[in-house]
Amino acid sequence: MSRIFRAAAAQMGPTQRADSREHTLSRMIGLLEQAAAQGAKLVVFPELAFTTFFPRWILDGDELDVHFERSMPNPAVAPLFDRARALRVGFYVGYAELTPDGRRFNSAILVDCDGQIVSKYRKVHLPGSVEPRPGAKYQQLEKRYFGYGDLGFPAVRTDDAWAGAIMGMMICNDRRWPESWRVLGLQGVELVCVGYNSAAYDPNGGSTEDASLRTFHSTLVAQANAYMNATWAIAVAKAGDEDGSGLIGGSCIVDPNGCIVAQATTLADEVIVADIDLDLCRQGKDKMFNFAAHRRPDQYKVITERAGVVEPVVVD
């Protein structure tokens, strides 16, 4: 039996701080409808899709809280769920989560074609700092506004609408860390959904990274890790000039051989689609990356025992 379904990356152009939620939702629904018209059964939206990338600002009180979702779905985002359910299309979407007990996370959910949440993920690898960098025009304050994800990297087996795919999620900086992918790979993942809002400059200061290099790195990690874990990957940006701060694009759909099968060409709202043939994962999973046959975890203990670098001692 064929294991193929069509998926879409719904890249979003910039969302300005002054944009209303209604305006942003109308854009997202428009992208959803474009994808559905092309036969997509899954639409992947970016990280923090409902808001501007607010961690670039120093915010407190209501000025901060307005960016967070206290439940999901909620009345402000229900039109997206309702339209997706009517179209029989599922989606991945990233958002800022405020829990009932006051914890804050950079989160994403996977919603099936019935409008039901089938999995939640909270970003593990938070970049930036707690305290603002003196003199910086734009900050990267995710560590200030979010807690570290506490749900691990869950993979779920989905239903027939997505050909029974084993799916996992990441958010932005997670895609740069091979551990994220390998944990999903060890669960047999066949499709990884990743939303991101990546700066078109070095967000930690300095001038050694530009938009071109950062877009290259974004594409590189999707291709390399998809190959090394024999999985499809859909990586989706929020892009363009957001309140004077540049975000890279480069949204792409990558196959289990690490080949790009579709890629965005703009920094605006744009839909790209591809047919996801899950059987293409078998070549890698059964041969080169047959983990059961070839992995040697007893030699990898340092990966989980240590966070920082310990250099070898100097031998006289």
Side-chain angles (χ1 to χ4, degrees):
M1 182 178 295
S2 174
R3 299 186 66 219
I4 301 174
F5 70 100
R6 182 163 291 184
Q11 177 172 290
M12 296 177 66
T15 298
Q16 310 304 339
R17 192 172 173 184
D19 287 349
S20 69
R21 177 60 64 89
E22 292 76 15
H23 178 264
T24 302
L25 259 289
S26 70
R27 288 171 55 202
M28 295 175 71
I29 291 170
L31 291 166
L32 185 85
E33 291 172 339
Q34 289 180 48
Q38 296 179 65
K41 301 303 293 181
L42 170 68
V43 180
V44 181
F45 289 103
E47 172 190 26
L48 298 177
F50 301 119
T51 67
T52 192
F53 185 75
F54 64 88
R56 69 170 65 93
W57 307 102
I58 301 172
L59 304 172
D60 291 298
D62 292 343
E63 205 173 31
L64 174 64
D65 288 347
V66 71
H67 297 93
F68 282 82
E69 314 299 325
R70 288 160 177 77
S71 62
M72 190 61 69
N74 59 63
V77 303
L80 178 67
F81 281 74
D82 293 343
R83 189 61 181 138
R85 188 183 302 109
L87 292 168
R88 301 297 300 163
V89 176
F91 60 92
Y92 159 110
V93 67
Y95 65 100
E97 177 190 7
L98 178 58
T99 70
D101 60 358
R103 295 179 299 155
R104 300 174 188 267
F105 298 100
N106 189 339
S107 299
I109 50 174
L110 187 63
V111 179
D112 69 15
C113 297
D114 294 319
Q116 300 300 309
I117 296 172
V118 296
S119 187
K120 177 189 280 188
Y121 171 71
R122 290 168 172 164
K123 187 173 181 178
V124 169
H125 298 99
L126 297 177
S129 58
V130 174
E131 298 302 325
R133 290 181 293 111
K137 182 178 181 182
Y138 296 108
Q139 303 291 337
Q140 195 353 326
L141 297 172
E142 288 193 58
K143 284 184 169 68
R144 185 183 186 91
Y145 299 135
F146 301 122
Y148 290 103
D150 59 356
L151 301 177
F153 293 93
V156 293
R157 186 178 289 280
T158 60
D159 63 18
D160 290 344
W162 297 336
I166 300 174
M167 292 176 58
M169 294 182 282
M170 298 179 201
I171 299 174
C172 199
N173 193 37
D174 291 317
R175 74 196 192 281
R176 305 182 191 277
W177 297 85
E179 294 90 342
S180 310
W181 298 83
R182 187 47 51 89
V183 171
L184 288 173
L186 287 167
Q187 298 172 75
V189 76
E190 297 171 306
L191 173 58
V192 178
C193 300
V194 187
Y196 61 95
N197 285 202
S198 292
Y201 53 89
D202 184 348
N204 297 303
S207 58
T208 58
E209 297 183 10
D210 60 12
S212 176
L213 180 61
R214 288 181 62 79
T215 303
F216 167 73
H217 286 160
S218 179
T219 308
L220 172 68
V221 294
Q223 289 184 262
N225 286 289
Y227 165 65
M228 289 186 287
N229 292 280
T231 182
W232 286 86
I234 303 178
V236 186
K238 178 140 60 66
D241 186 335
E242 201 172 78
D243 290 313
S245 175
L247 296 171
I248 65 168
S251 301
C252 59
I253 302 176
V254 179
D255 76 11
N257 291 309
C259 298
I260 296 173
V261 299
Q263 187 160 28
T265 59
T266 72
L267 296 177
D269 289 5
E270 182 177 353
V271 172
I272 58 173
V273 300
D275 289 329
I276 308 299
D277 184 348
L278 299 171
D279 287 337
L280 291 182
C281 299
R282 297 306 344 147
Q283 170 73 16
K285 291 185 185 300
D286 295 342
K287 297 179 182 178
M288 180 63 73
F289 299 108
N290 182 331
F291 294 156
H294 305 308
R295 290 189 79 246
R296 294 295 175 262
D298 58 303
Q299 301 301 314
Y300 314 149
K301 292 179 181 178
V302 68
I303 290 176
T304 57
E305 292 175 349
R306 184 186 305 166
V309 173
V310 177
E311 296 182 352
V313 298
V314 176
V315 178
D316 293 330

